Amino acid sequence: MGECIFCLIAQGKIPSSKIYETDSLYAFLDLNPVHKGHTLIIPKKHAENIFDLDPSLGGELVSFMKKVGRAVMETTGATGLNIYQNNGRSAGQEVDHLHWHLIPRFDGDGLKLWPQGKYDSMEEMNGLAEKIRARLS
Ligand code: AMP
């Protein structure tokens, strides 16, 4: 994946505002922040999206997110933190190397990251839950 921009960033071949790294993970500032301090976390080994990620990275990833997230909040004075991650173009993924957005949030900052809808009925909602459960058994 020599052409992948986030692989090149993880390898230090193109510049980034690095925050922290381990053998497997790398954190750097997003060029176009929602708020200043908006940070991206990527696995160093290329994975296109969450479905490609080695699950054994889970524990280390959570520790890494907590450590970086806390430092971002303390530095920016944020009162909250969004962690989100896009999979696929329809979900807003622009860079095809898995990444988590850590977005510092502030009381009254007025951002609502997505609108929320409603089900037509509880039957519709429960029916959908049933169909999803059926795929997991
Ligand atoms: P997504 O829409 O989830 O794929 O987000 C991609 C993010 O990567 C966007 O928020 C961009 O601002 C950010 N981005 C793209 N290229 C770079 C770069 N070279 N350095 C830092 N952030 C970048």
Side-chain angles (χ1 to χ4, degrees):
M1 296 305 298
E3 297 303 306
C4 168
I5 188 167
F6 284 1
C7 281
L8 295 175
I9 285 177
Q11 292 159 13
K13 292 183 177 161
I14 63 172
S16 68
S17 295
K18 175 179 144 182
I19 298 287
Y20 191 58
E21 68 180 316
T22 61
D23 286 347
S24 347
L25 296 164
Y26 188 87
F28 58 106
L29 291 183
D30 193 304
L31 267 180
N32 307 112
V34 174
H35 283 305
K36 292 174 183 172
H38 177 165
T39 297
L40 300 175
I41 292 177
I42 59 174
K44 288 185 173 174
K45 182 168 184 285
H46 185 85
E48 185 170 328
N49 56 42
I50 194 70
F51 302 107
D52 288 340
L53 184 66
D54 179 352
S56 69
L57 206 56
E60 182 187 342
L61 175 65
V62 172
S63 300
F64 191 95
M65 277 179 173
K66 287 167 67 172
K67 186 172 181 131
V68 171
R70 209 171 271 127
V72 167
M73 287 184 73
E74 287 171 2
T75 306
T76 59
T79 45
L81 184 76
N82 287 117
I83 299 181
Y84 85 102
Q85 188 263 311
N86 299 327
N87 297 286
R89 291 285 175 274
S90 352
Q93 182 174 9
E94 290 173 3
V95 177
D96 290 330
H97 182 129
L98 175 63
H99 52 280
W100 287 268
H101 295 257
L102 272 62
I103 301 175
R105 297 295 303 275
F106 302 87
D107 285 341
D109 67 12
L111 286 179
K112 181 142 174 83
L113 296 185
W114 48 73
Q116 285 177 284
K118 287 195 187 322
Y119 288 98
D120 292 335
S121 63
M122 285 309 292
E123 287 71 29
E124 183 197 12
M125 187 171 168
N126 290 333
L128 185 58
E130 170 88 48
K131 283 187 188 160
I132 297 171
R133 275 200 305 275
R135 291 193 182 266
L136 296 170
S137 50

Coordinates of all heavy atoms in Angstrom, one line a residue, residues 11-87:
Q11 N 4.7 5.8 8.5 CA 6.1 5.5 8.2 C 7.0 6.7 8.3 O 8.3 6.6 8.1 CB 6.3 4.8 6.8 CG 5.6 3.5 6.7 CD 5.3 3.1 5.3 OE1 5.8 3.7 4.3 NE2 4.5 2.1 5.1
G12 N 6.5 7.9 8.5 CA 7.3 9.1 8.6 C 7.8 9.6 7.3 O 8.7 10.4 7.2
K13 N 7.2 9.1 6.2 CA 7.7 9.5 4.8 C 7.0 10.8 4.4 O 7.5 11.4 3.4 CB 7.4 8.3 3.8 CG 8.2 7.1 4.1 CD 8.0 6.0 3.1 CE 9.0 4.9 3.3 NZ 8.5 3.6 2.7
I14 N 5.9 11.1 4.9 CA 5.3 12.5 4.7 C 5.0 13.1 6.1 O 4.7 12.3 7.0 CB 4.1 12.6 3.7 CG1 2.9 11.8 4.3 CG2 4.5 12.1 2.4 CD1 1.7 12.0 3.4
P15 N 5.2 14.4 6.2 CA 5.1 15.0 7.5 C 3.7 15.0 8.1 O 2.7 15.0 7.4 CB 5.5 16.4 7.3 CG 5.5 16.7 5.9 CD 5.4 15.3 5.1
S16 N 3.6 14.9 9.5 CA 2.4 15.0 10.2 C 2.7 15.7 11.5 O 3.8 15.6 12.0 CB 1.7 13.7 10.4 OG 2.5 12.9 11.3
S17 N 1.7 16.2 12.2 CA 1.8 16.7 13.5 C 1.6 15.6 14.5 O 0.5 15.4 15.0 CB 0.9 17.9 13.8 OG 1.2 19.0 13.0
K18 N 2.7 14.8 14.8 CA 2.5 13.6 15.6 C 2.2 13.9 17.0 O 2.7 14.9 17.6 CB 3.9 12.9 15.5 CG 3.9 11.7 16.4 CD 5.3 11.0 16.3 CE 5.7 10.4 17.6 NZ 7.0 9.8 17.5
I19 N 1.3 13.1 17.6 CA 0.9 13.2 19.0 C 1.6 12.1 19.8 O 2.1 12.4 20.9 CB -0.6 13.1 19.1 CG1 -1.3 14.3 18.4 CG2 -1.1 13.1 20.6 CD1 -1.2 15.6 19.0
Y20 N 1.5 10.9 19.3 CA 2.0 9.7 20.1 C 2.0 8.5 19.2 O 1.3 8.4 18.2 CB 1.0 9.5 21.2 CG 1.4 8.5 22.3 CD1 2.6 8.7 23.0 CD2 0.7 7.3 22.6 CE1 3.0 7.8 23.9 CE2 1.1 6.4 23.5 CZ 2.3 6.7 24.2 OH 2.7 5.8 25.2
E21 N 2.9 7.6 19.5 CA 2.9 6.3 18.7 C 3.4 5.1 19.6 O 4.1 5.3 20.6 CB 3.8 6.4 17.5 CG 5.3 6.6 17.7 CD 6.1 6.7 16.4 OE1 5.8 5.9 15.4 OE2 7.0 7.5 16.4
T22 N 2.9 4.0 19.2 CA 3.5 2.7 19.7 C 3.9 1.9 18.5 O 3.9 2.4 17.4 CB 2.4 1.9 20.5 OG1 1.3 1.6 19.5 CG2 1.8 2.7 21.6
D23 N 4.3 0.6 18.7 CA 4.7 -0.2 17.6 C 3.6 -0.4 16.6 O 3.8 -0.5 15.4 CB 5.2 -1.6 18.0 CG 6.5 -1.5 18.7 OD1 7.2 -0.5 18.6 OD2 6.9 -2.5 19.4
S24 N 2.3 -0.3 17.0 CA 1.2 -0.6 16.2 C 0.3 0.5 15.8 O -0.5 0.4 14.9 CB 0.3 -1.7 16.7 OG 0.8 -2.4 17.8
L25 N 0.3 1.6 16.6 CA -0.6 2.7 16.4 C 0.1 4.0 16.3 O 1.2 4.2 16.9 CB -1.6 2.7 17.6 CG -2.5 1.5 17.8 CD1 -3.1 1.4 19.2 CD2 -3.6 1.5 16.7
Y26 N -0.6 5.0 15.7 CA 0.0 6.3 15.5 C -1.1 7.3 15.6 O -2.2 7.2 15.0 CB 0.6 6.4 14.1 CG 1.4 7.6 13.8 CD1 2.8 7.6 14.1 CD2 0.9 8.7 13.1 CE1 3.6 8.8 13.8 CE2 1.7 9.8 12.8 CZ 3.0 9.8 13.2 OH 3.8 10.9 12.9
A27 N -0.9 8.4 16.3 CA -1.8 9.5 16.5 C -1.2 10.8 16.0 O -0.1 11.1 16.3 CB -2.2 9.7 17.9
F28 N -2.0 11.6 15.2 CA -1.6 12.9 14.7 C -2.7 13.8 14.5 O -3.9 13.4 14.5 CB -0.8 12.7 13.3 CG -1.6 12.0 12.3 CD1 -2.1 12.7 11.2 CD2 -1.9 10.7 12.3 CE1 -2.9 12.1 10.2 CE2 -2.7 10.0 11.3 CZ -3.2 10.8 10.3
L29 N -2.5 15.1 14.4 CA -3.5 16.1 14.3 C -4.2 16.1 12.9 O -3.4 16.0 11.9 CB -3.0 17.5 14.6 CG -2.6 17.8 16.0 CD1 -2.2 19.3 16.1 CD2 -3.7 17.5 17.0
D30 N -5.5 16.2 12.9 CA -6.2 16.3 11.6 C -5.9 17.7 11.0 O -6.0 18.7 11.7 CB -7.7 16.1 11.8 CG -8.5 15.9 10.5 OD1 -8.4 16.8 9.6 OD2 -9.2 14.9 10.4
L31 N -5.6 17.7 9.7 CA -5.3 19.0 9.0 C -6.5 19.9 9.0 O -6.3 21.1 8.9 CB -5.0 18.7 7.5 CG -3.6 18.4 7.1 CD1 -3.6 18.2 5.6 CD2 -2.7 19.7 7.4
N32 N -7.7 19.4 9.0 CA -8.9 20.2 8.9 C -9.8 19.9 10.2 O -10.8 19.2 10.1 CB -9.7 19.8 7.7 CG -8.8 19.9 6.4 OD1 -8.5 18.9 5.8 ND2 -8.4 21.1 6.1
P33 N -9.4 20.5 11.3 CA -10.1 20.1 12.5 C -11.5 20.6 12.7 O -11.8 21.8 12.3 CB -9.2 20.8 13.6 CG -8.6 22.0 12.9 CD -8.4 21.5 11.5
V34 N -12.4 19.8 13.3 CA -13.7 20.3 13.7 C -13.5 21.3 14.8 O -14.0 22.4 14.8 CB -14.5 19.1 14.2 CG1 -15.8 19.6 14.8 CG2 -14.8 18.1 13.1
H35 N -12.6 21.0 15.8 CA -12.1 21.9 16.7 C -10.6 21.7 16.8 O -10.1 20.6 16.5 CB -12.6 21.7 18.2 CG -14.1 22.2 18.4 ND1 -14.4 23.5 18.1 CD2 -15.1 21.5 18.8 CE1 -15.7 23.6 18.4 NE2 -16.2 22.5 18.8
K36 N -9.8 22.7 17.1 CA -8.4 22.6 17.2 C -8.0 21.5 18.2 O -8.7 21.4 19.3 CB -7.7 23.9 17.6 CG -7.8 24.9 16.5 CD -7.3 26.3 16.8 CE -7.6 27.2 15.6 NZ -7.3 28.6 15.9
G37 N -7.1 20.6 17.9 CA -6.8 19.5 18.7 C -7.4 18.2 18.2 O -7.1 17.1 18.7
H38 N -8.3 18.3 17.2 CA -8.9 17.1 16.5 C -7.8 16.2 16.1 O -6.9 16.6 15.3 CB -9.7 17.7 15.3 CG -10.4 16.6 14.5 ND1 -11.4 17.0 13.6 CD2 -10.3 15.3 14.3 CE1 -11.8 15.9 12.9 NE2 -11.1 14.9 13.4
T39 N -7.8 15.0 16.6 CA -6.7 14.0 16.4 C -7.2 12.8 15.7 O -8.4 12.4 15.8 CB -6.2 13.7 17.8 OG1 -5.7 14.8 18.4 CG2 -5.1 12.6 17.7
L40 N -6.3 12.2 14.8 CA -6.6 11.0 14.2 C -5.7 9.9 14.8 O -4.6 10.1 15.0 CB -6.4 11.1 12.7 CG -7.2 12.1 11.9 CD1 -6.7 12.2 10.4 CD2 -8.7 11.8 12.0
I41 N -6.3 8.7 15.0 CA -5.5 7.5 15.4 C -5.6 6.5 14.3 O -6.8 6.2 13.8 CB -6.1 7.0 16.7 CG1 -5.9 7.9 17.9 CG2 -5.5 5.6 17.0 CD1 -6.5 7.5 19.2
I42 N -4.5 5.9 13.9 CA -4.5 4.9 12.8 C -3.7 3.7 13.3 O -2.7 3.8 14.0 CB -3.9 5.5 11.5 CG1 -2.4 6.0 11.7 CG2 -4.8 6.6 10.9 CD1 -1.8 6.4 10.4
P43 N -4.1 2.5 12.8 CA -3.2 1.4 12.9 C -2.0 1.6 11.9 O -2.3 2.0 10.8 CB -4.0 0.2 12.5 CG -5.1 0.7 11.6 CD -5.3 2.2 12.0
K44 N -0.8 1.2 12.3 CA 0.3 1.4 11.4 C 0.2 0.4 10.2 O 0.6 0.7 9.1 CB 1.7 1.2 12.1 CG 2.0 2.4 13.0 CD 3.4 2.3 13.6 CE 3.7 3.5 14.4 NZ 5.0 3.3 15.1
K45 N -0.3 -0.8 10.5 CA -0.4 -1.8 9.5 C -1.7 -1.5 8.7 O -2.8 -1.3 9.3 CB -0.5 -3.2 10.1 CG -0.6 -4.3 9.2 CD -0.4 -5.6 10.0 CE -0.4 -6.9 9.1 NZ -1.7 -7.2 8.6
H46 N -1.6 -1.4 7.4 CA -2.8 -0.9 6.6 C -4.0 -1.8 6.8 O -3.9 -3.0 6.7 CB -2.4 -0.9 5.1 CG -3.5 -0.3 4.3 ND1 -3.7 1.0 4.1 CD2 -4.6 -0.9 3.7 CE1 -4.8 1.3 3.4 NE2 -5.3 0.1 3.1
A47 N -5.1 -1.2 7.1 CA -6.4 -1.8 7.1 C -7.3 -0.8 6.5 O -7.3 0.4 6.9 CB -6.9 -2.2 8.5
E48 N -8.2 -1.2 5.6 CA -9.1 -0.2 4.9 C -10.1 0.3 5.8 O -10.5 1.5 5.8 CB -9.7 -0.9 3.7 CG -10.4 0.1 2.8 CD -10.8 -0.4 1.5 OE1 -10.1 -1.3 0.9 OE2 -11.9 -0.1 1.0
N49 N -10.7 -0.6 6.6 CA -11.8 -0.2 7.5 C -11.9 -1.1 8.7 O -11.1 -2.0 8.8 CB -13.2 -0.2 6.7 CG -13.5 -1.5 6.1 OD1 -13.3 -2.5 6.7 ND2 -13.9 -1.5 4.8
I50 N -12.9 -1.0 9.5 CA -13.0 -1.7 10.8 C -13.0 -3.2 10.5 O -12.6 -4.0 11.3 CB -14.2 -1.2 11.6 CG1 -14.1 -1.7 13.1 CG2 -15.5 -1.6 11.0 CD1 -13.1 -1.1 13.9
F51 N -13.6 -3.6 9.4 CA -13.8 -5.0 9.1 C -12.5 -5.7 8.8 O -12.4 -6.9 8.7 CB -14.8 -5.2 8.0 CG -16.2 -4.6 8.4 CD1 -16.6 -3.4 7.8 CD2 -16.9 -5.2 9.4 CE1 -17.8 -2.8 8.1 CE2 -18.1 -4.6 9.7 CZ -18.6 -3.4 9.1
D52 N -11.4 -4.9 8.5 CA -10.1 -5.4 8.1 C -9.2 -5.5 9.4 O -8.1 -6.0 9.3 CB -9.4 -4.5 7.1 CG -9.9 -4.6 5.8 OD1 -10.6 -5.6 5.5 OD2 -9.7 -3.7 5.0
L53 N -9.6 -4.9 10.5 CA -8.7 -4.8 11.6 C -8.5 -6.1 12.4 O -9.5 -6.8 12.6 CB -9.3 -3.7 12.6 CG -8.4 -3.4 13.8 CD1 -7.1 -2.7 13.3 CD2 -9.1 -2.5 14.7
D54 N -7.3 -6.3 12.7 CA -7.0 -7.5 13.6 C -7.6 -7.3 15.0 O -7.1 -6.3 15.7 CB -5.4 -7.6 13.6 CG -5.0 -8.8 14.5 OD1 -5.9 -9.4 15.2 OD2 -3.8 -9.1 14.5
P55 N -8.5 -8.1 15.4 CA -9.2 -7.9 16.7 C -8.2 -7.9 17.9 O -8.5 -7.4 18.9 CB -10.2 -9.0 16.8 CG -10.3 -9.6 15.5 CD -9.1 -9.3 14.7
S56 N -7.0 -8.6 17.7 CA -6.1 -8.7 18.8 C -5.6 -7.3 19.2 O -5.0 -7.1 20.3 CB -5.0 -9.6 18.5 OG -4.1 -9.1 17.5
L57 N -5.8 -6.3 18.4 CA -5.3 -4.9 18.7 C -6.3 -4.2 19.7 O -5.9 -3.2 20.2 CB -5.3 -4.1 17.4 CG -4.3 -3.0 17.3 CD1 -2.9 -3.4 17.6 CD2 -4.4 -2.3 15.9
G58 N -7.4 -4.8 20.0 CA -8.5 -4.2 20.7 C -8.1 -3.5 22.0 O -8.3 -2.3 22.2
G59 N -7.4 -4.3 22.9 CA -7.1 -3.8 24.2 C -6.1 -2.6 24.1 O -6.2 -1.6 24.8
E60 N -5.1 -2.8 23.3 CA -4.0 -1.8 23.1 C -4.7 -0.5 22.5 O -4.3 0.6 22.9 CB -2.9 -2.3 22.2 CG -1.8 -1.3 22.0 CD -0.8 -1.7 21.0 OE1 -0.7 -2.9 20.6 OE2 0.0 -0.8 20.5
L61 N -5.6 -0.7 21.6 CA -6.3 0.4 21.0 C -7.1 1.2 22.0 O -7.0 2.5 22.0 CB -7.2 -0.1 19.9 CG -8.1 1.0 19.2 CD1 -7.2 1.9 18.4 CD2 -9.0 0.3 18.2
V62 N -7.8 0.5 22.9 CA -8.6 1.3 23.9 C -7.7 2.0 24.8 O -7.9 3.2 25.1 CB -9.5 0.3 24.6 CG1 -10.2 1.0 25.8 CG2 -10.6 -0.3 23.7
S63 N -6.6 1.4 25.3 CA -5.6 2.1 26.1 C -5.0 3.3 25.4 O -4.9 4.4 26.0 CB -4.4 1.2 26.5 OG -4.9 0.1 27.2
F64 N -4.7 3.2 24.2 CA -4.1 4.2 23.4 C -5.1 5.4 23.2 O -4.8 6.6 23.4 CB -3.7 3.7 22.0 CG -2.9 4.6 21.1 CD1 -1.5 4.4 21.1 CD2 -3.5 5.5 20.3 CE1 -0.7 5.2 20.3 CE2 -2.7 6.3 19.4 CZ -1.3 6.2 19.4
M65 N -6.4 5.1 22.9 CA -7.4 6.1 22.8 C -7.6 6.9 24.1 O -7.8 8.1 24.0 CB -8.7 5.5 22.4 CG -8.9 5.2 20.9 SD -10.5 4.4 20.7 CE -10.4 4.4 18.9
K66 N -7.6 6.1 25.2 CA -7.8 6.8 26.5 C -6.7 7.7 26.8 O -6.9 8.9 27.2 CB -8.0 5.7 27.6 CG -9.4 5.0 27.5 CD -9.4 3.8 28.3 CE -9.4 4.1 29.8 NZ -9.6 2.9 30.6
K67 N -5.5 7.3 26.5 CA -4.3 8.1 26.9 C -4.2 9.3 26.0 O -4.1 10.5 26.5 CB -3.0 7.2 26.6 CG -1.7 7.8 27.0 CD -0.6 6.8 26.9 CE 0.7 7.4 27.3 NZ 1.4 6.6 28.2
V68 N -4.4 9.2 24.7 CA -4.4 10.3 23.8 C -5.6 11.2 24.0 O -5.4 12.5 24.1 CB -4.3 9.8 22.3 CG1 -4.5 11.0 21.3 CG2 -3.0 9.1 22.0
G69 N -6.7 10.6 24.2 CA -8.0 11.4 24.4 C -7.8 12.3 25.6 O -8.2 13.5 25.6
R70 N -7.3 11.7 26.7 CA -7.1 12.5 27.9 C -6.2 13.7 27.7 O -6.5 14.8 28.1 CB -6.6 11.6 29.0 CG -7.0 11.9 30.4 CD -6.6 10.9 31.4 NE -7.6 9.9 31.6 CZ -7.4 8.6 31.5 NH1 -6.2 8.1 31.3 NH2 -8.4 7.7 31.7
A71 N -5.1 13.4 27.0 CA -4.1 14.5 26.8 C -4.7 15.6 25.9 O -4.4 16.8 26.1 CB -2.8 13.9 26.1
V72 N -5.5 15.2 24.9 CA -6.1 16.2 24.0 C -7.1 17.0 24.8 O -7.1 18.3 24.7 CB -6.8 15.5 22.8 CG1 -7.8 16.5 22.1 CG2 -5.8 14.9 21.9
M73 N -7.9 16.4 25.7 CA -8.9 17.1 26.5 C -8.2 18.1 27.4 O -8.6 19.3 27.5 CB -9.8 16.2 27.3 CG -10.8 15.4 26.4 SD -11.9 14.4 27.3 CE -12.9 15.7 28.1
E74 N -7.1 17.6 28.1 CA -6.5 18.4 29.1 C -5.8 19.6 28.4 O -5.8 20.8 28.9 CB -5.4 17.6 29.9 CG -6.2 16.7 30.9 CD -5.2 15.7 31.5 OE1 -4.0 15.7 31.3 OE2 -5.7 14.9 32.3
T75 N -5.2 19.4 27.2 CA -4.5 20.5 26.5 C -5.4 21.5 26.0 O -5.1 22.7 26.0 CB -3.6 19.9 25.4 OG1 -2.8 18.8 25.9 CG2 -2.8 20.9 24.7
T76 N -6.6 21.1 25.4 CA -7.5 22.0 24.8 C -8.5 22.6 25.8 O -9.2 23.5 25.4 CB -8.3 21.3 23.6 OG1 -9.0 20.2 24.2 CG2 -7.3 20.8 22.5
G77 N -8.6 22.0 27.0 CA -9.6 22.4 27.9 C -11.0 21.9 27.5 O -12.0 22.5 28.0
A78 N -11.0 20.9 26.7 CA -12.3 20.3 26.3 C -13.1 19.8 27.5 O -12.5 19.2 28.4 CB -12.1 19.3 25.2
T79 N -14.4 19.9 27.4 CA -15.3 19.3 28.4 C -15.9 18.0 28.0 O -16.6 17.3 28.8 CB -16.4 20.3 28.8 OG1 -17.0 20.8 27.6 CG2 -15.8 21.5 29.6
G80 N -15.7 17.6 26.7 CA -16.2 16.3 26.2 C -15.3 15.9 25.0 O -14.4 16.7 24.6
L81 N -15.5 14.7 24.6 CA -14.7 14.1 23.5 C -15.6 13.2 22.7 O -16.1 12.3 23.2 CB -13.5 13.4 24.0 CG -12.5 12.8 23.0 CD1 -11.6 13.9 22.5 CD2 -11.6 11.7 23.7
N82 N -15.7 13.4 21.3 CA -16.3 12.5 20.4 C -15.2 11.6 19.9 O -14.2 12.1 19.4 CB -17.0 13.2 19.3 CG -18.3 13.9 19.7 OD1 -18.4 15.1 19.5 ND2 -19.3 13.1 20.1
I83 N -15.5 10.3 19.8 CA -14.6 9.3 19.1 C -15.5 8.7 18.0 O -16.5 8.1 18.4 CB -14.0 8.3 20.0 CG1 -13.2 8.9 21.1 CG2 -13.2 7.3 19.2 CD1 -12.5 7.9 22.1
Y84 N -15.1 8.9 16.8 CA -15.9 8.3 15.7 C -15.1 7.8 14.6 O -13.9 8.2 14.4 CB -17.1 9.1 15.4 CG -16.9 10.2 14.3 CD1 -17.3 10.0 13.0 CD2 -16.3 11.4 14.7 CE1 -17.1 11.0 12.1 CE2 -16.1 12.4 13.7 CZ -16.5 12.2 12.4 OH -16.3 13.1 11.5
Q85 N -15.7 7.0 13.7 CA -14.9 6.3 12.7 C -15.8 6.0 11.6 O -16.9 5.4 11.8 CB -14.3 5.0 13.4 CG -13.3 4.3 12.6 CD -14.0 3.1 11.9 OE1 -14.7 2.4 12.5 NE2 -13.7 3.0 10.6
N86 N -15.4 6.3 10.3 CA -16.3 6.1 9.2 C -15.8 4.9 8.4 O -14.6 4.7 8.2 CB -16.2 7.3 8.2 CG -16.6 8.6 8.9 OD1 -17.6 8.6 9.7 ND2 -16.0 9.8 8.6
N87 N -16.8 4.1 7.9 CA -16.5 2.9 7.1 C -17.2 3.1 5.7 O -18.5 2.9 5.7 CB -17.0 1.6 7.8 CG -16.2 1.4 9.1 OD1 -15.0 1.1 9.0 ND2 -16.8 1.7 10.2

